Amino acid sequence: MTPDRWPSRTLRIGPASFHLRSPFRRVIDEVNALYRDYPAETADGIYDYAVSAVPSSPLRRWVNPNLRLECDFEPFDTLPLPVELGMLGLEMGMNLQMAVGYRRHVVVHAASSASGDKAALLIGDSGAGKSTLSALLAYREGWRHLGDEFALLDLDAPLLHPFPRPISLKNASIAAMEARAPADRFGPVLEGTVKGTIRHLLPPAAAIDAMETPAEIALVVAPHFRENAAPAWRPMTRTETYVRLAASSTNQALMGEAGFEAVWRCLAHAPAFDIMYGSSDDALELFETLWRKVTA
Amino acid sequence: MTPAAILHRALAEPESMRGLSADDWNALIRVGRAERLLGTVAERAVPLWDALPAGAQTCLTEERDITRGDHLAARWEIDRAALALRNVGCPVILMKGSAYLHAGLPAAQGRRIGDLDILVPRAALPAVEAALLAHGWLQAKENAYDDHYYRTWMHELPPMVHKERGGVIDVHHTILPLTARLKPDADALIESRVAVADGLFVLGPAEMLLHSAAHVAYDGEFEGGTRNLWDIHCLASDFAQTPGFWDRLTEATDRHQLRVPLSRALRLARRLYGTDVPETLAGRMDLVDRLALRKLHGRDRFGHQGAKLSDRLLYMRGHWLRMPPLMLTEHLARKAFRRKERAQPV
């Protein structure tokens, strides 16, 4: 089997398209299972980014197999991944393409979710609870999931574009969501990653069907989870919000004035709040309160 | 046609892009990105833009945005370096991408620009280094061997990185390593300079082309050769419009002992891009040309370059030309040990 004929899958997610491939059949089988609801072709057959999970050396295809990534926008030297984590590798590869190569929108490391035609942006460092909160909004409150990894800010209007990848749940959030979402929406349990245990949750099908429809940004929230914390919130100034958004954007600075204008337009349009909570119930309640406040 | 040939043709004859299939476009986009030439393809595609498929337009537009960002950053780095070095009292000569950009040459169109490369007289190196350190640049190499390697044997200081912007500056005092077998005349290089904006200089046309040729055809293993040969094609085609250029080039070539690399670079550029070259300067194809062409056509439809025997031979040749045998043995041994320590967990 030559590299041209390896198992592969083209994948459209929101405005971006990817071509994923690997000589390890199980990796592409897992991709096909997890991404079953996503379109497998582009309008004219041309895709944006190729990400391949290739054996880390020719020998490693057969003996103690492991793999590394090859992408349009290349990762730095990384340690080889076991084949069981191949799909996760492809996911990281896709993230890298969005972070480094994508320039059609401002890419912010954030979750986003919409209710009707209005959307909320959830910013914060890894572990702040963005993925969990957006998963709860999608599966408990019936919101339209826009994305849990990257939010895409329009360059001309205060709009968020969906990039509804499977939600990447980590550690304790996995059990919390297993109780609330249908079992057939979950991917395999991935153990031993640098972030601990990861399990993907496929967003509700309606969110994927509507992935080309943007929503107007109405609220920015910076969630902070702290064990046993009493629920609290405070408004953030535009300057503080700008600094946080700019710091969590992969391409805003690289896009110069257009990037700055896009971020500033969004935060001039949507009020921002910092929220602190100790349980998902508190988080949702705080979120609902703020949402009512800004959309009233 | 190899996937690389689709790229070569798109650059040299943009009209060829009209007839590409979706598979060809996918290959062109991959190989173009891998060679850091897709931005140039995008600029070349502008006159036939409306005839391109939407998927291609999307990727090429994105690449133009990336290049625009690159150029903005490069202009700012040039501006900051000019400010830092204005009182050093020596000419500061921009090289490679930054020079093409600052001098407004066609070679800059769509070109990705990374590090800022400058050339200064060797005697001025301590003052230049001190001025850069005083203006926020830091030594990027912390390893004592690397530092020693650059200062003793190379044609440049160890790279310096700006502590806030992260921009890298390479300060050269000549165009080939001091250990290389060929010895270009550094004083004559500096003498050839032409003034451009902001008190800065670029090399004279002949020397600029010679530097590019030495870079692609002598120093190294044709890594990035597709892009460097496109530079050669653009520079040669542009400068050849001035009467007498080829004569001046021949003269400068002999002064700098660069006849062999210049001829090779011109031959390969002609082969890839159809560059118009006088027969007397081009000379004849040889084994190294053939190895280089294999490498230049070596990427698959995903932009991946397999490690082939021909590439290994070129790697060995590159290092062979770079330093004497004993030194080479020691250097490669050190690098081999270090490679093991570099990989990062995911």
Side-chain angles (χ1 to χ4, degrees), chain A residues 121-176:
Chain A
L121 181 67
L122 310 169
I123 57 177
D125 304 330
S126 289
K130 300 186 302 284
S131 295
T132 317
L133 192 50
S134 69
L136 285 168
L137 284 170
Y139 276 101
R140 224 181 85 176
E141 309 297 318
W143 281 51
R144 176 159 74 99
H145 180 75
L146 302 183
D148 81 314
E149 181 74 24
F150 291 129
L152 308 179
L153 277 50
D154 193 276
L155 295 180
D156 302 307
L159 296 174
L160 295 181
H161 290 265
F163 187 63
R165 283 260 304 282
I167 303 162
S168 161
L169 299 170
K170 286 136 215 146
N171 304 316
S173 317
I174 297 174

Side-chain angles (χ1 to χ4, degrees), chain B residues 44-59:
Chain B
R44 304 282 288 165
V46 168
L48 51 136
W49 195 256
D50 292 338
L52 304 182
Q57 287 179 344
T58 304
C59 288

Side-chain angles (χ1 to χ4, degrees), chain A residues 12 25 36-37 39 55-56 62 71 96 102 155-156 178 192 195 244 261 270 283 292 296:
Chain A
R12 203 146 52 74
R25 158 85 44 202
R36 62 182 184 266
D37 290 350
S56 60
W62 313 108
C71 320
L96 186 78
Y102 188 84
L155 295 180
D156 302 307
E178 279 168 347
K195 289 184 173 175
R244 306 233 353 213
E261 292 288 347
R292 277 195 301 274

Side-chain angles (χ1 to χ4, degrees), chain A residues 62-274:
Chain A
W62 313 108
V63 184
N64 291 332
N66 62 21
L67 47 80
R68 66 183 171 80
L69 295 178
E70 249 169 33
C71 320
D72 285 13
F73 296 91
E74 283 287 346
F76 298 109
D77 288 343
T78 50
L79 287 177
L81 282 170
V83 176
E84 304 82 71
L85 296 184
M87 185 185 67
L88 191 65
L90 291 175
E91 294 250 318
M92 292 178 345
M94 288 192 275
N95 284 349
L96 186 78
Q97 308 312 295
M98 294 301 288
V100 181
Y102 188 84
R103 298 290 165 96
R104 294 165 230 166
H105 302 107
V106 171
V107 177
V108 179
H109 185 64
S112 49
S113 207
S115 172
D117 57 1
K118 294 203 187 317
L121 181 67
L122 310 169
I123 57 177
D125 304 330
S126 289
K130 300 186 302 284
S131 295
T132 317
L133 192 50
S134 69
L136 285 168
L137 284 170
Y139 276 101
R140 224 181 85 176
E141 309 297 318
W143 281 51
R144 176 159 74 99
H145 180 75
L146 302 183
D148 81 314
E149 181 74 24
F150 291 129
L152 308 179
L153 277 50
D154 193 276
L155 295 180
D156 302 307
L159 296 174
L160 295 181
H161 290 265
F163 187 63
R165 283 260 304 282
I167 303 162
S168 161
L169 299 170
K170 286 136 215 146
N171 304 316
S173 317
I174 297 174
M177 286 313 299
E178 279 168 347
R180 293 192 168 98
D184 67 352
R185 304 302 281 176
F186 286 90
V189 178
L190 304 170
E191 279 165 339
T193 78
V194 276
K195 289 184 173 175
T197 303
I198 289 181
R199 190 165 192 196
H200 290 102
L201 170 60
L202 199 55
I208 301 169
D209 289 343
M211 70 184 185
E212 276 159 53
T213 311
E216 181 190 342
I217 185 168
L219 172 67
V220 180
V221 166
H224 291 282
F225 171 80
R226 191 182 298 159
E227 205 99 26
N228 304 319
W233 63 272
R234 67 172 176 85
M236 288 162 65
T237 65
R238 280 185 197 179
T239 311
E240 182 186 2
T241 316
Y242 173 76
V243 171
R244 306 233 353 213
L245 275 174
S248 25
S249 172
T250 57
N251 63 4
Q252 186 252 180
L254 298 170
M255 292 169 76
E257 198 174 351
F260 175 83
E261 292 288 347
V263 171
W264 192 256
R265 186 180 301 111
C266 279
L267 58 90
H269 196 77
F273 301 89
D274 192 293

